[in-house]
Amino acid sequence: MEVLVKTWLTAAAVCFLYTCSPSVAAQDTNLVTHSLARKVNSVKQDTETVHFYAWGGSAQVNSYLQWVSEQVSQQYNIRFQHVKLADTSDAVSRVLAEKAAGNHTNGSVDLIWINGENFAAMKEHGLLTKNWVSSLKYFPLTNPHENTAMVTDFGESTLGMEAPWGKASLVFYYRQQHLQHLAIPPPQTIHELLEFAQQSPGRFTYPVPSDYLGITFLKYAIIALNEDRQKVFYQPVSESALNSVLPALWQYLDALHPVMWRRGETMLRQASQLQRLMGTGELSIAFSFTAAEIPSAVERFDLPKDIRTYVMHDGSLANVHFVGLTYNSSVKTAAKTVVDFLLSPKAQAQKQKLKVWGDESVLDLSLLSPSDRSLFDQEGGHPSALDKSQKVKLIAEPHSSWADAIRNAWYKRYGVRY
């Protein structure tokens, strides 16, 4: 008890002296006594311990990481400890405080599950190891040269600081019976979607851009419609850049809105309403950012059995989540081994199982051997589920500043439509 009290006081003193986030000091005991635990473990056993800081709010995620712990222990003699977080920013603050304290070689955080703003903050403050991801055995299987989402995090180049781990991507789904009756194939590009809507008015719509799925559709559309200006989306938005890409979007939407559900005069406020209209038969095609939710909705009878899911040929907007390696980890080699296992076909296939997690793999299945590809075969696969063997062109999320700019411009042009 005396040792634990001294350890807590030391941690509290570091927070006070170096003005780290107050939330760090208030975390669970396992966040406060880490350094002591690392020392005790090094004495008691020869195995190295890798501390993986990750959100702990999902029973499915926690269960999967327990499986990972068992696997790396058996295969590599590495002790994997999942440090559960309520907020990833707490771990970011912890590494920042250690850097301020001069702890550059024995950090308490080895690996961290991050993307978006948390990655940008760690990149800005030099809290991550650079240029290590390309050395991983399985990283080439993500096909980073074709899939820019594997090396871009919300418009920020990863610079080899973080490895892709899983993804959510834009998928479309349709009523098979409807399209067969209309004698129209499912549209495969943003341009074919407009043609579909014109041939079958009222059978498609999208939510207003204040909804996450509404702004997702607009980001996909504006990128797909400006193939010759792709680079501008991965820099902070400027007025000139915005004005250069909006005309193509306005031309498209001006043609699409009059042939949408309720002629585009009334639009949906929430993404969940898309699924409801597909269920009632008012729409024939819709979209989602989570492929796994579609077969689950069919099983719950929220969607009919003739639903089929697919991805557009001109690209699928992807939101990738990553694993970063801290600059001051003392077990970098072991940590890299763990990340390489997380990218292995075995681990990615296990994570993708609907009953385990349902998180989409970052691997390009077309690059896998037949035996590795077979790991992703779902036993008794659902007919409404996305065919994971399809080769998908992923489109990285644009720089985070673009979302507000596009949203504001849309409302200025079209007004409130609900």
Side-chain angles (χ1 to χ4, degrees), residues 34-84:
H34 243 46
S35 298
L36 177 63
R38 184 189 292 276
K39 293 177 182 178
V40 172
N41 287 331
S42 64
V43 172
K44 289 186 175 182
Q45 54 189 24
D46 296 327
T47 59
E48 288 188 297
T49 299
V50 173
H51 295 93
F52 183 54
Y53 279 60
W55 179 61
S58 167
Q60 286 179 296
V61 174
N62 296 344
S63 178
Y64 173 72
L65 290 177
Q66 180 57 43
W67 175 83
V68 169
S69 177
E70 295 166 359
Q71 295 295 311
V72 297
S73 176
Q74 294 170 9
Q75 296 183 41
Y76 308 109
N77 195 33
I78 294 173
R79 183 171 179 263
F80 176 90
Q81 183 173 338
H82 174 200
V83 182
K84 299 180 179 66

Side-chain angles (χ1 to χ4, degrees), residues 168-374:
S169 57
L170 187 64
V171 298
F172 283 75
Y173 59 104
Y174 63 93
R175 292 289 303 271
Q176 189 177 49
Q177 291 182 3
H178 286 198
L179 269 61
Q180 288 175 347
H181 177 73
L182 295 167
I184 301 175
Q188 302 293 332
T189 67
I190 191 70
H191 295 290
E192 290 183 11
L193 180 62
L194 175 58
E195 293 173 6
F196 168 84
Q198 290 170 334
Q199 293 174 40
S200 52
R203 312 302 299 180
F204 174 79
T205 192
Y206 66 94
V208 293
S210 55
D211 174 83
Y212 82 96
L213 202 54
I215 192 62
T216 294
F217 175 76
L218 293 181
K219 286 188 287 186
Y220 156 64
I222 199 170
I223 292 173
L225 293 167
N226 287 278
E227 292 184 275
D228 57 337
R229 296 184 174 90
Q230 299 288 297
K231 291 183 179 180
V232 303
F233 296 108
Y234 302 101
Q235 301 292 333
V237 67
S238 65
E239 185 175 356
S240 60
L242 183 65
N243 291 335
S244 72
V245 296
L246 282 178
L249 181 64
W250 298 153
Q251 182 181 5
Y252 183 87
L253 296 181
D254 286 349
L256 178 65
H257 287 173
V259 292
M260 291 200 317
W261 178 75
R262 295 188 177 178
R263 297 181 297 279
E265 296 172 0
T266 300
M267 295 177 64
L268 307 176
R269 296 185 66 179
Q270 296 178 331
S272 60
Q273 293 175 305
L274 268 179
Q275 193 176 109
R276 179 182 60 81
L277 292 178
M278 286 290 287
T280 61
E282 293 181 68
L283 299 181
S284 295
I285 187 167
F287 53 95
S288 170
F289 211 60
T290 309
E293 76 177 9
I294 298 169
S296 297
V298 173
E299 286 299 302
R300 295 193 309 269
F301 303 103
D302 291 335
L303 287 173
K305 291 183 178 180
D306 70 327
I307 289 287
R308 297 295 180 267
T309 309
Y310 72 107
V311 293
M312 290 290 196
H313 287 175
D314 56 1
S316 175
L317 191 71
N319 180 333
V320 177
H321 54 90
F322 297 81
V323 177
L325 173 61
T326 59
Y327 87 101
N328 62 344
S329 169
S330 64
V331 289
K332 286 187 172 69
T333 299
K336 292 176 186 177
T337 299
V338 168
V339 177
D340 213 24
F341 174 76
L342 293 176
L343 275 176
S344 68
K346 177 181 179 179
Q348 287 281 301
Q350 178 73 3
K351 181 166 62 71
Q352 187 170 285
K353 292 178 181 177
L354 295 179
K355 293 183 179 179
V356 176
W357 181 349
D359 190 45
E360 290 189 49
S361 174
V362 293
L363 302 183
D364 184 337
L365 300 192
S366 68
L367 300 180
L368 304 188
S369 67
S371 59
D372 283 341
R373 196 179 306 127
S374 68

